[in-house]
Amino acid sequence: MLEKQMKNRVAELDVKLLLFAVQKTQAFEKLLMERFEQEPQNEPLGDEETETEKKEPDSFHNAISQCFEQYLNVYIESQDVNLTELVEKFVVELKEGGVPSYQVGDPAPLLPSCSDLFVFYKKCLVQCSQLSQGQALVDLTEVFRKHLKNYHSSLLMPSLPNKSSGFASLLKDKDNNKVAMSEVVMICIVLCTSEYCLETTQQLEDKIKEKAQEAYAEKISFNSEMELFSNTITTCLQDLVSHLDSLCEPALSAMLKVNWSTLDSVGDQSAYTTSITSHLAATVPAVRDLLHNSRKYFTNYCLKFANSFIPKYVNQIYKCKPVSTVGAEQLLLDTHSLKTVLLQLPSLGSAVARKPTPSFTKTVSQGMVRAEMILKLVMAPSESQLAFVESYINLLADKDIGDFMKVLEMKGFKRSEQMEMIELFKKTANITDAEDVGSIADQDSSRIRKLEKLIKKQF
């Protein structure tokens, strides 16, 4: 009778009426269970009792209210509309309120809207699970997934700095450094909010599966949404590294303005080294404070910066040509100073000295040791070509002809001398013709990539 009436009047059914009817029906079912269902007595079972006889007596639970199951789409559609309006409200509040209040030295705050979103999700889940543990929970999951993606695309990604301008453009004068730092704060806010969303989405998935019937639980998954938040965290880390790289870029460029072939004495660390160290000292502790509640991502940040900065530094050393013995000694002193600072990066400016992770220490040590070995080769005597080649192979364990040529250029060898030593290097290192061709191809490919980048910048 009830199913027939609902079918005939489905057009009149709205979410308030549906919820009212379900609640009243469930209350009636509960009353029936309390009145007519007796607790089974704890009597010993006979050997002859079958499995069927062990089952609990029939229940009035869901006996009537199951007829509402096929109409729960009304409830799901209503929550879809509510969530759309909620996310739109979050967007307006963020635009009007701006960055959440923040004190220097404090951990980055979360966007307040993220906790509000999951509180709403929790209320929806509790309510829906009381109505159904079947298909309705699967449908509600799809609505949740839709609005997690909407939240990500409408609030998180637009909150990141505008990549079209780039961090480098913010460093033209000192006042813009404040702008760049405020953007670092916002990146950390987005990172921490994404981390919260990632962890809470996993908890949400577990909770829905716990409430759903077994046949429906396997249909519930938030993998693609969690991947979105994970990718956003990776993007934030890369943006933070790009910011620090941009700060260090002018100092790296300043290396090439020094005439390393005419230095007559070794002094204190060079100005470019002091500049890099000061930028690291000003930025890294600030990021560490911002990511205080996300320690593993700060560690990742330090590792990513080391992997980005050190190859650039080594490449700049190759470009410092020609280099005299005194010039190489000065560069070696600078390199040792930078290596010391980089090894202390995770605890730089901190009252508590934390030992860096083994992977970080290995990355910095290997990269900077290579820079040191290159400079020691430049300082090495080259009267004996064979002795110099053997020293290169022993110190760098590198068969790359391109890198060997760069060291020769730093030493100031003439073109004819370089060709002789390259042939000697190939023979001593047992480099085949195929390896030689590959090395040349890599150099040509690098030149082509540089040309393509130049063309893109111009147009």
Side-chain angles (χ1 to χ4, degrees), residues 101-382:
S101 58
Y102 158 77
Q103 296 294 326
V104 175
D106 288 346
L110 303 179
L111 293 177
S113 55
C114 68
S115 58
D116 294 341
L117 178 67
F118 283 101
V119 167
F120 189 90
Y121 275 12
K122 181 180 178 181
K123 291 179 180 178
C124 289
L125 176 57
V126 170
Q127 192 173 51
C128 185
S129 63
Q130 292 173 347
L131 305 177
S132 168
Q133 292 82 46
Q135 184 60 40
L137 278 179
V138 177
D139 295 339
L140 184 65
T141 298
E142 293 306 308
V143 171
F144 285 171
R145 293 181 61 198
K146 170 185 173 182
H147 292 286
L148 283 174
K149 290 175 181 173
N150 189 18
Y151 184 85
H152 173 267
S153 61
S154 300
L155 278 96
L156 293 183
M157 294 308 293
S159 296
L160 291 174
N162 184 3
K163 291 181 176 58
S164 63
S165 59
F167 282 114
S169 64
L170 296 171
L171 303 175
K172 292 179 181 178
D173 58 64
K174 292 183 179 179
D175 291 338
N176 278 335
N177 283 335
K178 296 180 179 179
V179 177
M181 200 59 212
S182 70
E183 292 194 339
V184 168
V185 173
M186 196 63 215
I187 292 170
C188 290
I189 289 173
V190 173
L191 187 155
C192 294
T193 301
S194 298
E195 181 188 17
Y196 172 85
C197 290
L198 176 62
E199 293 175 352
T200 312
T201 300
Q202 180 62 69
Q203 295 169 9
L204 176 66
E205 178 181 312
D206 295 340
K207 200 66 179 177
I208 298 175
K209 287 182 175 180
E210 179 185 309
K211 291 183 177 293
Q213 296 171 6
E214 187 175 348
Y216 295 94
E218 61 185 20
K219 299 179 181 180
I220 295 164
S221 173
F222 288 87
N223 285 343
S224 60
E225 290 69 35
M226 287 189 283
E227 186 176 354
L228 273 180
F229 294 125
S230 180
N231 289 341
T232 302
I233 291 171
T234 301
T235 299
C236 290
L237 289 172
Q238 190 55 56
D239 284 351
L240 291 172
V241 170
S242 296
H243 166 255
L244 193 49
D245 272 340
S246 296
L247 292 174
C248 297
E249 192 66 38
L252 290 177
S253 298
M255 290 175 66
L256 306 184
K257 297 177 182 178
V258 179
N259 191 340
W260 298 101
S261 64
T262 60
L263 289 185
D264 54 9
S265 64
V266 178
D268 295 331
Q269 65 181 29
S270 301
Y272 79 87
T273 308
T274 302
S275 177
I276 292 172
T277 301
S278 64
H279 285 307
L280 295 179
T283 305
V284 174
V287 174
R288 183 177 59 241
D289 290 339
L290 287 163
L291 299 182
H292 178 77
N293 297 328
S294 304
R295 181 63 61 180
K296 63 181 179 180
Y297 293 118
F298 172 70
T299 301
N300 200 335
Y301 161 71
C302 292
L303 183 60
K304 283 180 178 290
F305 174 73
N307 278 318
S308 174
F309 173 80
I310 293 174
K312 292 178 182 177
Y313 179 69
V314 172
N315 192 48
Q316 290 299 94
I317 288 178
Y318 279 134
K319 293 178 181 178
C320 297
K321 55 188 179 183
V323 181
S324 65
T325 300
V326 175
E329 289 176 353
Q330 181 64 55
L331 282 168
L332 187 59
L333 173 66
D334 297 337
T335 300
H336 180 73
S337 298
L338 284 175
K339 177 183 175 182
T340 302
V341 173
L342 288 172
L343 285 171
Q344 298 171 351
L345 201 62
S347 59
L348 197 63
S350 174
V352 180
R354 284 190 174 90
K355 188 176 181 180
T357 62
S359 60
F360 176 79
T361 301
K362 182 179 179 181
T363 296
V364 173
S365 297
Q366 287 184 345
M368 297 304 284
V369 163
R370 179 175 179 80
E372 291 172 340
M373 292 301 103
I374 290 169
L375 293 168
K376 287 180 180 179
L377 280 167
V378 175
M379 294 163 56
S382 56

